[in-house]
Amino acid sequence: MDVTKEQIDAAIDLLTTMVVEDIARERHRDPSDVLPEFLLSHTGQMLHNENNKLWWEGPSMIEEMYRKESCSRL
């Protein structure tokens, strides 16, 4: 069974939502403030490049990648 582009896009959108909501809750911030930061981050860019297949990974791994990236920018 092949995975369609629509299914990949839906998985990426769902993962983005899950990661942003968890990070926002952890940092006591509004998800609408965290979303643009995540989308502009290296992790967010990698997730939205479907060729990287980061969308195959679970949200906790993506969150950890983003946390490490965020800490390295401080």
Side-chain angles (χ1 to χ4, degrees), residues 18-67:
M18 294 170 75
V19 168
V20 166
E21 286 180 349
D22 283 350
I23 294 292
R25 187 174 21 258
E26 174 185 293
R27 296 180 180 177
H28 307 288
R29 295 185 60 205
D30 192 285
S32 63
D33 294 331
V34 175
L35 178 61
E37 295 169 6
F38 177 76
L39 293 176
L40 292 172
S41 72
H42 180 68
T43 305
Q45 297 287 318
M46 285 180 53
L47 177 59
H48 283 84
N49 179 347
E50 64 187 58
N51 294 326
N52 290 329
K53 298 196 180 201
L54 187 57
W55 55 270
W56 279 11
E57 303 296 338
S60 56
M61 190 200 128
I62 298 166
E63 285 176 37
E64 187 60 30
M65 286 178 63
Y66 182 68
R67 281 188 198 98

